[in-house]
Amino acid sequence: MATATLTVPRGKTGRRRPHRTVGQRTGNFFIYFLAWALVVVILVPVAYIIIGGFRTNSEITQDPAGLPATWRVENYVDVLVSEVFWREVLNSSIAAIATTLFVVTLGLMAAYVLARYQFRMRGVLYAVFAAGLMFPMTVAITPLYILVRNLGLMNSLVGVIIPQVAFALPITIIILVPFLQALPREIEEAAFIDGCSRLGFFWRMVIPLSMPGVITVGILAFIASWNSYMLPLFILNNEASFTLPLGVQAFASQYSVDTAKVLAFTSLSMIPALVFFSLFERRIVGGLTGAVKG
């Protein structure tokens, strides 16, 4: 007797696709809706500032939320040809690059010791760095000001760089320690058998293998330094040493009646950090994911 076989269509892998319930679909829709709403809330002010730089002061006064009747690039051109703007870009770049280099170098060395060596008070030392995450710069701004003044570093980028490095080290070490702990001991033992010194192992093996975490902490340190406002506000009083956040504030005070030009200056000040973050966003997420897994 012949029997008929019912064939159930399957996916390319031969497995049935999981059936999503109504509750799961509703939950996913709600999550995506909240995500897009958050994106809109964040991007609308940025778009308003950028578009406002192409308008005239009368247009902004009559219709603050409208689009430009004629897109005027003169506001941006005036800022770009200004010597003050490029001087502040240079100051911010010097402070951000120097801060990033010191944070990555010192943080990687400290994290390597905490992750790979066993010594007395190791846990206490790690807890001290972790406690630094709960100590914001706003609390320490007055002691920092007095310390920098006593060291004679007022009105200099060095007086800004050193505190920024100190406050960026805790999060750097917290991120890098799991990366370094995840390195197999067998690699280290094999390197020592081959005659590699501890310093050679650090340069040849540790740094390349922990590069995702190094890039992550470097990006975070750079962006934090570039956007820093409170510390330079207390340390820098000379306009020749102003960074971009201070430059925006000074420019807004000087051209308070020229709102369009102030918006153009603010837009150009934001672009470097936005571009830098956009280019390395995947690196940040990947590095933080690796730190959590470690």
Side-chain angles (χ1 to χ4, degrees):
M1 172 183 270
T3 57
T5 303
L6 178 62
T7 303
V8 179
R10 300 173 182 266
K12 295 181 179 180
T13 59
R15 296 181 180 179
R16 297 182 179 179
R17 295 181 179 178
H19 178 68
R20 293 183 178 181
T21 63
V22 177
Q24 290 176 333
R25 290 195 295 268
T26 304
N28 291 338
F29 173 79
F30 184 70
I31 292 174
Y32 281 114
F33 176 79
L34 288 181
W36 279 108
L38 182 61
V39 170
V40 171
V41 170
I42 294 174
L43 292 182
V44 165
V46 177
Y48 176 80
I49 294 173
I50 296 175
I51 295 175
F54 291 98
R55 307 175 70 191
T56 62
N57 293 319
S58 59
E59 291 177 346
I60 295 176
T61 303
Q62 295 173 3
D63 186 11
L67 294 175
T70 301
W71 293 77
R72 299 170 57 89
V73 297
E74 291 83 358
N75 296 324
Y76 285 93
V77 172
D78 291 342
V79 175
L80 290 175
V81 298
S82 172
E83 180 183 352
V84 175
F85 175 77
W86 292 109
R87 183 179 66 239
E88 292 168 355
V89 170
L90 178 61
N91 291 337
S92 291
S93 300
I94 293 174
I97 293 174
T99 299
T100 302
L101 292 177
F102 280 109
V103 166
V104 170
T105 303
L106 298 177
L108 186 59
M109 291 190 294
Y112 177 71
V113 173
L114 292 173
R116 309 296 292 187
Y117 291 90
Q118 298 293 333
F119 55 91
R120 186 176 299 178
M121 306 293 289
R122 170 178 171 272
V124 175
L125 185 59
Y126 184 78
V128 170
F129 283 110
L133 298 175
M134 301 179 290
F135 193 69
M137 186 176 292
T138 53
V139 177
I141 193 63
T142 301
L144 274 177
Y145 172 79
I146 297 174
L147 180 61
V148 172
R149 185 187 61 185
N150 293 338
L151 292 175
L153 298 177
M154 293 293 294
N155 292 320
S156 68
L157 294 177
V158 178
V160 175
I161 293 171
I162 294 177
Q164 286 183 162
V165 172
F167 277 87
L169 279 177
I171 185 63
T172 300
I173 293 174
I174 296 301
I175 293 176
L176 289 180
V177 165
F179 274 96
L180 301 178
Q181 288 178 337
L183 298 180
R185 292 286 179 180
E186 292 78 7
I187 297 179
E188 186 174 2
E189 295 172 357
F192 292 157
I193 293 175
D194 291 338
C196 185
S197 63
R198 293 186 182 274
L199 186 59
F201 173 75
F202 178 80
W203 285 106
R204 297 178 183 178
M205 301 298 295
V206 172
I207 294 179
L209 293 176
S210 60
M211 192 55 64
V214 171
I215 294 175
T216 298
V217 297
I219 294 171
L220 295 177
F222 183 91
I223 294 178
S225 175
W226 187 274
N227 294 331
S228 178
Y229 174 76
M230 177 170 292
L231 181 63
L233 178 64
F234 279 79
I235 304 301
L236 305 177
N237 298 321
N238 187 0
E239 291 187 0
S241 59
F242 275 8
T243 57
L244 265 179
L246 285 185
V248 172
Q249 185 268 338
F251 190 88
S253 300
Q254 183 178 358
Y255 297 92
S256 57
V257 296
D258 195 347
T259 306
K261 187 174 290 187
V262 171
L263 293 177
F265 193 98
T266 305
S267 302
L268 293 173
S269 302
M270 294 188 302
I271 288 176
L274 291 175
V275 172
F276 190 82
F277 186 84
S278 300
L279 291 176
F280 295 99
E281 177 264 340
R282 292 182 181 272
R283 295 280 189 175
I284 297 176
V285 175
L288 294 177
T289 303
V292 172
K293 290 182 179 179

